Amino acid sequence: MPNPSIGVHDTRNIQALHFCRDDAIYFEGDFAPAWFAVSEGVVRTCRYKENGNRQILGFYYPGDVFGLEPTARRETAEAVTDAVVRCPAQEGHGQRDASDVESALRRALGAAYENIAILGRRTAQERVAAFILATAAEVGRSEEFSFPMSRSDMADYLGLTIHTVSRTIGQLCDQQLISLRGARHCRILDIARLKALAGEGH
Amino acid sequence: MPNPSIGVHDTRNIQALHFCRDDAIYFEGDFAPAWFAVSEGVVRTCRYKENGNRQILGFYYPGDVFGLEPTARRETAEAVTDAVVRCPAQEGHGQRDASDVESALRRALGAAYENIAILGRRTAQERVAAFILATAAEVGRSEEFSFPMSRSDMADYLGLTIHTVSRTIGQLCDQQLISLRGARHCRILDIARLKALAGEGH
DNA sequence: CGATTCGTTGACGAAGTTCAAGCTGCGTGG
DNA sequence: CCACGCAGCTTGAACTTCGTCAACGAATCG
């Protein structure tokens, strides 16, 4: 999959953009000429701090939108997997812009609140369980799926270390809530108890 | 300050709503006929879980908007202090709706990402320091301000206990980064070190 | 002035991080 | 094909941080 450029600044005539895993889509501080919708693959947004830490603000799956901030990028966007993204605003169709932007913003806002709900949890088990449920819902319709991101990505998103993420996933396996084949292929064995652990419910 | 009703369902002819401290503005699950802008005071949105835990998703200050979800409320909104809120969509002015909604959504989205950035931090000191800086920026122009919310609100927002919040604030005082007069009146003594502790900077 | 709520503090145990080592899967080159 | 190296993941041991339980002060409201 070819990667035309690292960092997208001129999107006037571009409609579908291909990125390889770990390529940057734009950088924090860039001018923001457009917003994006994920077509294929998975994208993350993150901030790099001066102490070297990376904080992931969200993962975006096909159908999700990202990069809606006005004027200047407040975070970096990178491809988690090989990915294709589009710029809906550049795709003509005349007058549909206003409502498109509005519905995109609504979806992005709803997703952001779900992220806050995951991160506000107190223990690693709650956070990881909620994260697995959210990922499973995004990535596959079934209870069997593959994590598109590394343990390091999970850790930088959940505010934990990769060690704690790994150990916590191990505990969930020991408790027969999930099972793994390799590090990334996951099957949910007991979704009810997993939801209870995540503190979900009405 | 009078409180006309607990839970607002019919906002057709209402433009300015007054709430007392801890009053509910709407409930999770309610039909969502309108969104709100804070005029005076502070508002919080939260979710109550079946295990009794409360998770605060955000605090909203004068000028902030909240309750933009479509159709049904996904969280409860409550007044943190006595508060006045308006429904911008009901205030006539004919054709300004579309761009108003859009700019409101953009501000809400930006605020949500800042919340994610606070909650994604790893240690209590980082989270509390970032929270103090964010609150100071919202609440007063200066380095001296009062927390509008209780320790319990802070804890339920940051994913910590009130004990850890209290102890962490105590540590910041010991380190001469802030000083307190009473539990709520706070003065920032060394904003540079406080920002460094929060992991801020370009 | 008592009652209640909120905030602080101490002691202890559980949970998470750090440091270190080792394992696994995979690509590369011999 | 196997040997090697590398990157990502897991695991162990020691240490630090945070939550829990309990008690105690401070502010508020009747």
Side-chain angles (χ1 to χ4, degrees), chain B residues 46-117:
Chain B
C46 49
R47 292 184 187 168
Y48 293 91
K49 313 221 211 113
E50 70 251 20
N51 55 353
N53 286 138
R54 178 184 66 158
Q55 184 156 17
I56 292 181
L57 298 177
F59 295 104
Y60 306 91
Y61 295 87
D64 291 346
V65 292
F66 65 97
L68 291 116
E69 58 278 85
T71 66
R73 301 295 182 194
R74 309 212 49 191
E75 61 272 333
T76 296
E78 299 165 344
V80 174
T81 63
D82 291 349
V84 181
V85 305
R86 294 175 298 107
C87 300
Q90 264 73 39
E91 290 182 348
H93 292 82
Q95 208 53 25
R96 53 167 232 185
D97 281 39
S99 70
D100 268 14
V101 172
E102 188 177 320
S103 75
L105 282 162
R106 281 186 194 283
R107 270 181 295 155
L109 187 61
Y113 274 105
E114 293 311 312
N115 286 1
I116 291 172

Side-chain angles (χ1 to χ4, degrees), chain A residues 31 35 71 90 95 117 137-138 140 151 161 177 182 195 200:
Chain A
F31 172 66
W35 52 281
T71 64
Q90 266 73 39
Q95 208 54 25
E138 293 278 4
R151 295 286 186 271
T161 63
L177 300 181
K195 284 184 179 176
E200 286 192 9

Side-chain angles (χ1 to χ4, degrees), chain B residues 24-39:
Chain B
I25 297 169
Y26 55 74
F27 291 97
E28 185 176 353
D30 280 0
F31 171 66
W35 52 281
F36 297 98
V38 179
S39 209

